[in-house]
PDB file of all heavy atoms in Angstrom:
ATOM      1  N   GLU C 354     -16.811 -18.667 -20.980  1.00 52.00           N
ATOM      2  CA  GLU C 354     -15.625 -19.439 -21.071  1.00 52.00           C
ATOM      3  C   GLU C 354     -15.425 -19.696 -22.702  1.00 52.00           C
ATOM      4  O   GLU C 354     -16.127 -20.439 -23.248  1.00 52.00           O
ATOM      5  CB  GLU C 354     -15.655 -20.768 -20.420  1.00 52.00           C
ATOM      6  CG  GLU C 354     -15.760 -20.430 -18.851  1.00 52.00           C
ATOM      7  CD  GLU C 354     -15.610 -21.805 -18.197  1.00 52.00           C
ATOM      8  OE1 GLU C 354     -15.142 -22.828 -18.769  1.00 52.00           O
ATOM      9  OE2 GLU C 354     -15.826 -21.954 -16.946  1.00 52.00           O
ATOM     10  N   ASN C 355     -14.407 -18.892 -23.292  1.00 52.00           N
ATOM     11  CA  ASN C 355     -14.226 -19.027 -24.787  1.00 52.00           C
ATOM     12  C   ASN C 355     -13.190 -20.116 -24.911  1.00 52.00           C
ATOM     13  O   ASN C 355     -12.052 -20.065 -24.649  1.00 52.00           O
ATOM     14  CB  ASN C 355     -13.592 -17.659 -25.144  1.00 52.00           C
ATOM     15  CG  ASN C 355     -13.620 -17.682 -26.689  1.00 52.00           C
ATOM     16  OD1 ASN C 355     -13.360 -18.695 -27.291  1.00 52.00           O
ATOM     17  ND2 ASN C 355     -13.929 -16.540 -27.217  1.00 52.00           N
ATOM     18  N   GLY C 356     -13.716 -21.291 -25.495  1.00 49.00           N
ATOM     19  CA  GLY C 356     -12.919 -22.506 -25.686  1.00 49.00           C
ATOM     20  C   GLY C 356     -11.653 -22.218 -26.577  1.00 49.00           C
ATOM     21  O   GLY C 356     -10.538 -22.928 -26.397  1.00 49.00           O
ATOM     22  N   LYS C 357     -11.752 -21.265 -27.387  1.00 50.00           N
ATOM     23  CA  LYS C 357     -10.552 -20.875 -28.276  1.00 50.00           C
ATOM     24  C   LYS C 357      -9.410 -20.215 -27.400  1.00 50.00           C
ATOM     25  O   LYS C 357      -8.264 -20.285 -27.888  1.00 50.00           O
ATOM     26  CB  LYS C 357     -11.053 -19.937 -29.409  1.00 50.00           C
ATOM     27  CG  LYS C 357     -12.047 -20.617 -30.394  1.00 50.00           C
ATOM     28  CD  LYS C 357     -12.415 -19.657 -31.542  1.00 50.00           C
ATOM     29  CE  LYS C 357     -13.417 -20.225 -32.409  1.00 50.00           C
ATOM     30  NZ  LYS C 357     -13.888 -19.343 -33.556  1.00 50.00           N
ATOM     31  N   LEU C 358      -9.743 -19.547 -26.390  1.00 73.00           N
ATOM     32  CA  LEU C 358      -8.774 -18.902 -25.616  1.00 73.00           C
ATOM     33  C   LEU C 358      -8.309 -19.575 -24.267  1.00 73.00           C
ATOM     34  O   LEU C 358      -7.156 -19.310 -23.791  1.00 73.00           O
ATOM     35  CB  LEU C 358      -9.274 -17.515 -25.132  1.00 73.00           C
ATOM     36  CG  LEU C 358      -9.657 -16.546 -26.331  1.00 73.00           C
ATOM     37  CD1 LEU C 358     -10.319 -15.410 -25.667  1.00 73.00           C
ATOM     38  CD2 LEU C 358      -8.488 -16.135 -27.081  1.00 73.00           C
ATOM     39  N   ILE C 359      -8.994 -20.724 -23.907  1.00 85.00           N
ATOM     40  CA  ILE C 359      -8.578 -21.478 -22.758  1.00 85.00           C
ATOM     41  C   ILE C 359      -8.030 -22.798 -23.147  1.00 85.00           C
ATOM     42  O   ILE C 359      -8.651 -23.391 -23.947  1.00 85.00           O
ATOM     43  CB  ILE C 359      -9.842 -21.610 -21.894  1.00 85.00           C
ATOM     44  CG1 ILE C 359     -10.589 -20.289 -21.526  1.00 85.00           C
ATOM     45  CG2 ILE C 359      -9.443 -22.436 -20.626  1.00 85.00           C
ATOM     46  CD1 ILE C 359     -11.806 -20.467 -20.727  1.00 85.00           C
ATOM     47  N   PRO C 360      -6.896 -23.197 -22.695  1.00 89.00           N
ATOM     48  CA  PRO C 360      -6.219 -24.421 -23.066  1.00 89.00           C
ATOM     49  C   PRO C 360      -6.972 -25.603 -22.548  1.00 89.00           C
ATOM     50  O   PRO C 360      -7.819 -25.503 -21.607  1.00 89.00           O
ATOM     51  CB  PRO C 360      -4.816 -24.220 -22.520  1.00 89.00           C
ATOM     52  CG  PRO C 360      -5.022 -23.403 -21.311  1.00 89.00           C
ATOM     53  CD  PRO C 360      -5.951 -22.503 -21.686  1.00 89.00           C
ATOM     54  N   ALA C 361      -6.520 -26.741 -22.962  1.00 91.00           N
ATOM     55  CA  ALA C 361      -7.044 -27.946 -22.362  1.00 91.00           C
ATOM     56  C   ALA C 361      -6.884 -28.148 -21.046  1.00 91.00           C
ATOM     57  O   ALA C 361      -5.946 -27.425 -20.463  1.00 91.00           O
ATOM     58  CB  ALA C 361      -6.453 -29.161 -23.221  1.00 91.00           C
ATOM     59  N   ASP C 362      -7.587 -28.896 -20.303  1.00 94.00           N
ATOM     60  CA  ASP C 362      -7.540 -28.987 -18.805  1.00 94.00           C
ATOM     61  C   ASP C 362      -6.072 -29.405 -18.459  1.00 94.00           C
ATOM     62  O   ASP C 362      -5.574 -28.872 -17.393  1.00 94.00           O
ATOM     63  CB  ASP C 362      -8.410 -30.065 -18.333  1.00 94.00           C
ATOM     64  CG  ASP C 362      -9.998 -29.618 -18.181  1.00 94.00           C
ATOM     65  OD1 ASP C 362     -10.062 -28.261 -18.316  1.00 94.00           O
ATOM     66  OD2 ASP C 362     -10.875 -30.403 -18.327  1.00 94.00           O
ATOM     67  N   SER C 363      -5.359 -30.280 -19.053  1.00 94.00           N
ATOM     68  CA  SER C 363      -4.013 -30.668 -18.714  1.00 94.00           C
ATOM     69  C   SER C 363      -3.132 -29.619 -18.746  1.00 94.00           C
ATOM     70  O   SER C 363      -2.292 -29.421 -17.841  1.00 94.00           O
ATOM     71  CB  SER C 363      -3.618 -31.907 -19.576  1.00 94.00           C
ATOM     72  OG  SER C 363      -3.663 -31.512 -20.903  1.00 94.00           O
ATOM     73  N   GLU C 364      -3.229 -28.673 -19.854  1.00 95.00           N
ATOM     74  CA  GLU C 364      -2.220 -27.624 -19.936  1.00 95.00           C
ATOM     75  C   GLU C 364      -2.688 -26.572 -18.870  1.00 95.00           C
ATOM     76  O   GLU C 364      -1.597 -25.991 -18.189  1.00 95.00           O
ATOM     77  CB  GLU C 364      -2.352 -27.012 -21.337  1.00 95.00           C
ATOM     78  CG  GLU C 364      -1.360 -25.877 -21.493  1.00 95.00           C
ATOM     79  CD  GLU C 364      -1.472 -25.161 -22.887  1.00 95.00           C
ATOM     80  OE1 GLU C 364      -2.014 -25.812 -23.804  1.00 95.00           O
ATOM     81  OE2 GLU C 364      -0.982 -24.003 -23.022  1.00 95.00           O
ATOM     82  N   LEU C 365      -3.915 -26.257 -18.745  1.00 96.00           N
ATOM     83  CA  LEU C 365      -4.303 -25.306 -17.709  1.00 96.00           C
ATOM     84  C   LEU C 365      -3.877 -25.673 -16.285  1.00 96.00           C
ATOM     85  O   LEU C 365      -3.377 -24.877 -15.549  1.00 96.00           O
ATOM     86  CB  LEU C 365      -5.857 -25.178 -17.759  1.00 96.00           C
ATOM     87  CG  LEU C 365      -6.471 -24.195 -16.723  1.00 96.00           C
ATOM     88  CD1 LEU C 365      -5.924 -22.797 -16.803  1.00 96.00           C
ATOM     89  CD2 LEU C 365      -7.955 -24.128 -16.826  1.00 96.00           C
ATOM     90  N   LEU C 366      -4.044 -26.986 -15.997  1.00 97.00           N
ATOM     91  CA  LEU C 366      -3.565 -27.282 -14.666  1.00 97.00           C
ATOM     92  C   LEU C 366      -2.102 -27.222 -14.476  1.00 97.00           C
ATOM     93  O   LEU C 366      -1.616 -26.742 -13.462  1.00 97.00           O
ATOM     94  CB  LEU C 366      -3.944 -28.846 -14.529  1.00 97.00           C
ATOM     95  CG  LEU C 366      -3.599 -29.445 -13.084  1.00 97.00           C
ATOM     96  CD1 LEU C 366      -4.305 -28.677 -11.932  1.00 97.00           C
ATOM     97  CD2 LEU C 366      -3.963 -30.851 -12.949  1.00 97.00           C
ATOM     98  N   GLN C 367      -1.327 -27.434 -15.598  1.00 97.00           N
ATOM     99  CA  GLN C 367       0.117 -27.373 -15.402  1.00 97.00           C
ATOM    100  C   GLN C 367       0.444 -25.810 -15.265  1.00 97.00           C
ATOM    101  O   GLN C 367       1.307 -25.485 -14.444  1.00 97.00           O
ATOM    102  CB  GLN C 367       0.759 -27.853 -16.721  1.00 97.00           C
ATOM    103  CG  GLN C 367       2.370 -27.577 -16.635  1.00 97.00           C
ATOM    104  CD  GLN C 367       3.069 -28.349 -15.544  1.00 97.00           C
ATOM    105  OE1 GLN C 367       2.615 -29.521 -15.094  1.00 97.00           O
ATOM    106  NE2 GLN C 367       4.075 -27.655 -15.000  1.00 97.00           N
ATOM    107  N   LYS C 368      -0.259 -24.932 -15.926  1.00 97.00           N
ATOM    108  CA  LYS C 368      -0.088 -23.453 -15.796  1.00 97.00           C
ATOM    109  C   LYS C 368      -0.412 -23.043 -14.354  1.00 97.00           C
ATOM    110  O   LYS C 368       0.226 -22.141 -13.809  1.00 97.00           O
ATOM    111  CB  LYS C 368      -0.726 -22.714 -16.917  1.00 97.00           C
ATOM    112  CG  LYS C 368      -0.156 -22.908 -18.289  1.00 97.00           C
ATOM    113  CD  LYS C 368       1.318 -22.481 -18.434  1.00 97.00           C
ATOM    114  CE  LYS C 368       1.690 -22.665 -19.966  1.00 97.00           C
ATOM    115  NZ  LYS C 368       3.235 -22.358 -19.947  1.00 97.00           N
ATOM    116  N   MET C 369      -1.540 -23.642 -13.906  1.00 98.00           N
ATOM    117  CA  MET C 369      -1.937 -23.248 -12.586  1.00 98.00           C
ATOM    118  C   MET C 369      -0.869 -23.670 -11.529  1.00 98.00           C
ATOM    119  O   MET C 369      -0.654 -22.809 -10.544  1.00 98.00           O
ATOM    120  CB  MET C 369      -3.263 -24.067 -12.216  1.00 98.00           C
ATOM    121  CG  MET C 369      -4.543 -23.327 -13.104  1.00 98.00           C
ATOM    122  SD  MET C 369      -6.058 -24.442 -12.868  1.00 98.00           S
ATOM    123  CE  MET C 369      -6.230 -24.419 -11.187  1.00 98.00           C
ATOM    124  N   LYS C 370      -0.278 -24.809 -11.740  1.00 98.00           N
ATOM    125  CA  LYS C 370       0.707 -25.266 -10.752  1.00 98.00           C
ATOM    126  C   LYS C 370       1.898 -24.403 -10.831  1.00 98.00           C
ATOM    127  O   LYS C 370       2.458 -23.953  -9.729  1.00 98.00           O
ATOM    128  CB  LYS C 370       1.136 -26.768 -11.118  1.00 98.00           C
ATOM    129  CG  LYS C 370       0.111 -27.805 -10.857  1.00 98.00           C
ATOM    130  CD  LYS C 370       0.505 -29.034 -11.338  1.00 98.00           C
ATOM    131  CE  LYS C 370       1.721 -29.646 -10.607  1.00 98.00           C
ATOM    132  NZ  LYS C 370       2.060 -31.005 -11.103  1.00 98.00           N
ATOM    133  N   GLU C 371       2.272 -23.784 -11.915  1.00 98.00           N
ATOM    134  CA  GLU C 371       3.391 -22.948 -12.038  1.00 98.00           C
ATOM    135  C   GLU C 371       3.109 -21.667 -11.443  1.00 98.00           C
ATOM    136  O   GLU C 371       3.989 -21.123 -10.680  1.00 98.00           O
ATOM    137  CB  GLU C 371       3.761 -22.797 -13.468  1.00 98.00           C
ATOM    138  CG  GLU C 371       4.348 -23.969 -14.305  1.00 98.00           C
ATOM    139  CD  GLU C 371       4.382 -23.837 -15.696  1.00 98.00           C
ATOM    140  OE1 GLU C 371       4.178 -22.668 -16.312  1.00 98.00           O
ATOM    141  OE2 GLU C 371       4.764 -24.843 -16.400  1.00 98.00           O
ATOM    142  N   TYR C 372       1.875 -21.173 -11.670  1.00 98.00           N
ATOM    143  CA  TYR C 372       1.505 -19.780 -11.181  1.00 98.00           C
ATOM    144  C   TYR C 372       1.462 -19.922  -9.539  1.00 98.00           C
ATOM    145  O   TYR C 372       1.918 -19.045  -8.887  1.00 98.00           O
ATOM    146  CB  TYR C 372       0.114 -19.410 -11.577  1.00 98.00           C
ATOM    147  CG  TYR C 372      -0.456 -18.121 -11.041  1.00 98.00           C
ATOM    148  CD1 TYR C 372      -0.163 -16.763 -11.891  1.00 98.00           C
ATOM    149  CD2 TYR C 372      -1.045 -17.983  -9.876  1.00 98.00           C
ATOM    150  CE1 TYR C 372      -0.596 -15.579 -11.300  1.00 98.00           C
ATOM    151  CE2 TYR C 372      -1.619 -16.750  -9.221  1.00 98.00           C
ATOM    152  CZ  TYR C 372      -1.345 -15.585 -10.157  1.00 98.00           C
ATOM    153  OH  TYR C 372      -1.734 -14.440  -9.638  1.00 98.00           O
ATOM    154  N   SER C 373       0.820 -20.972  -9.076  1.00 98.00           N
ATOM    155  CA  SER C 373       0.724 -21.263  -7.664  1.00 98.00           C
ATOM    156  C   SER C 373       2.173 -21.183  -7.015  1.00 98.00           C
ATOM    157  O   SER C 373       2.382 -20.563  -5.840  1.00 98.00           O
ATOM    158  CB  SER C 373       0.078 -22.468  -7.327  1.00 98.00           C
ATOM    159  OG  SER C 373      -0.075 -22.897  -5.884  1.00 98.00           O
ATOM    160  N   SER C 374       3.124 -21.990  -7.571  1.00 96.00           N
ATOM    161  CA  SER C 374       4.472 -22.025  -6.950  1.00 96.00           C
ATOM    162  C   SER C 374       5.133 -20.765  -7.021  1.00 96.00           C
ATOM    163  O   SER C 374       5.930 -20.438  -6.075  1.00 96.00           O
ATOM    164  CB  SER C 374       5.264 -23.047  -7.897  1.00 96.00           C
ATOM    165  OG  SER C 374       4.733 -24.434  -7.879  1.00 96.00           O
ATOM    166  N   GLU C 375       4.942 -19.808  -8.065  1.00 96.00           N
ATOM    167  CA  GLU C 375       5.447 -18.569  -8.168  1.00 96.00           C
ATOM    168  C   GLU C 375       4.744 -17.720  -7.069  1.00 96.00           C
ATOM    169  O   GLU C 375       5.291 -16.452  -6.940  1.00 96.00           O
ATOM    170  CB  GLU C 375       5.420 -18.048  -9.491  1.00 96.00           C
ATOM    171  CG  GLU C 375       6.179 -18.780 -10.451  1.00 96.00           C
ATOM    172  CD  GLU C 375       5.820 -18.479 -11.881  1.00 96.00           C
ATOM    173  OE1 GLU C 375       4.905 -17.695 -12.070  1.00 96.00           O
ATOM    174  OE2 GLU C 375       6.482 -19.207 -12.816  1.00 96.00           O
ATOM    175  N   HIS C 376       3.616 -17.901  -6.628  1.00 95.00           N
ATOM    176  CA  HIS C 376       2.916 -17.033  -5.649  1.00 95.00           C
ATOM    177  C   HIS C 376       2.661 -17.775  -4.279  1.00 95.00           C
ATOM    178  O   HIS C 376       1.518 -17.756  -3.850  1.00 95.00           O
ATOM    179  CB  HIS C 376       1.534 -16.629  -6.292  1.00 95.00           C
ATOM    180  CG  HIS C 376       1.761 -15.752  -7.446  1.00 95.00           C
ATOM    181  ND1 HIS C 376       2.099 -16.354  -8.688  1.00 95.00           N
ATOM    182  CD2 HIS C 376       1.651 -14.413  -7.640  1.00 95.00           C
ATOM    183  CE1 HIS C 376       2.278 -15.292  -9.528  1.00 95.00           C
ATOM    184  NE2 HIS C 376       1.961 -14.111  -8.957  1.00 95.00           N
ATOM    185  N   ASP C 377       3.749 -18.136  -3.595  1.00 94.00           N
ATOM    186  CA  ASP C 377       3.717 -18.760  -2.272  1.00 94.00           C
ATOM    187  C   ASP C 377       2.627 -19.845  -2.084  1.00 94.00           C
ATOM    188  O   ASP C 377       1.971 -19.885  -1.109  1.00 94.00           O
ATOM    189  CB  ASP C 377       3.343 -17.566  -1.311  1.00 94.00           C
ATOM    190  CG  ASP C 377       4.439 -16.521  -1.246  1.00 94.00           C
ATOM    191  OD1 ASP C 377       5.547 -16.789  -1.380  1.00 94.00           O
ATOM    192  OD2 ASP C 377       4.113 -15.336  -1.137  1.00 94.00           O
TER     193      ASP C 377
END
């Protein structure tokens, strides 16, 4: 897990929510 490439948990969770919504 490269910390320079993975965003903070709050941003990652938001992106996860967006991805999930876009994929049923």
Side-chain angles (χ1 to χ4, degrees):
E354 293 190 11
N355 189 329
K357 295 181 180 179
L358 297 175
I359 302 171
D362 287 334
S363 57
E364 181 183 348
L365 177 57
L366 182 59
Q367 180 58 39
K368 295 298 184 181
M369 288 168 62
K370 290 173 67 176
E371 294 170 6
Y372 182 94
S373 176
S374 297
E375 294 167 0
H376 292 80
D377 298 321

